Amino acid sequence: MGFLIRTAITAVAFYIAANLVTGLWFSSLTTLIIAAIIFGVVNAVIRPILSTLSLPITVLTLGLFTLVINAVMLGLTALLMPGMRITSIGTAFLAAIIIWLVSWAANKVIGDRVAA
């Protein structure tokens, strides 16, 4: 149940980011939902490895490199999802920030009521 709610939150965050950032595009609502699922899997599998490998630079930048990792995860999702397009790294970076903010706000509202 928690996975479905978090996927729905990510899908809403993708929708908001696609409307705010001109270089992020989804071909359909179905593509957006599937992209949210793929994004969750990419974050669960690849992000921990990438975060561990980039730990020294993350410490040197006082955690700001995490934003770059978020953009890379979004770009990887776009590579894996045929109906999703990101036009530039700047677009990925800005969209990753918006997705992070929306997801953070939604998780604050939901809190611990959702089982992980």
Side-chain angles (χ1 to χ4, degrees):
M1 183 68 174
F3 176 76
L4 292 176
I5 292 173
R6 294 199 190 283
T7 300
I9 290 170
T10 303
V12 169
F14 276 0
Y15 180 77
I16 291 170
N19 285 322
L20 293 177
V21 180
T22 56
L24 178 62
W25 179 80
F26 295 94
S27 62
S28 67
L29 182 63
T30 305
T31 301
L32 188 136
I33 293 169
I34 294 170
I37 294 168
I38 291 173
F39 187 70
V41 172
V42 165
N43 273 332
V45 175
I46 297 172
R47 183 185 174 101
I49 297 166
L50 192 58
S51 294
T52 302
L53 292 174
S54 66
L55 188 60
I57 195 166
T58 302
V59 171
L60 285 175
T61 61
L62 302 175
L64 291 176
F65 193 73
T66 305
L67 297 173
V68 175
I69 293 173
N70 289 342
V72 169
M73 294 298 102
L74 188 60
L76 184 58
T77 302
L79 285 175
L80 296 173
M81 191 68 214
M84 179 181 175
R85 186 178 341 150
I86 298 177
T87 57
S88 69
I89 189 69
T91 299
F93 188 75
L94 186 58
I97 291 172
I98 292 170
I99 292 166
W100 173 78
L101 284 172
V102 171
S103 298
W104 174 79
N107 285 326
K108 282 292 182 186
V109 169
I110 293 172
D112 291 333
R113 290 179 269 175
V114 178

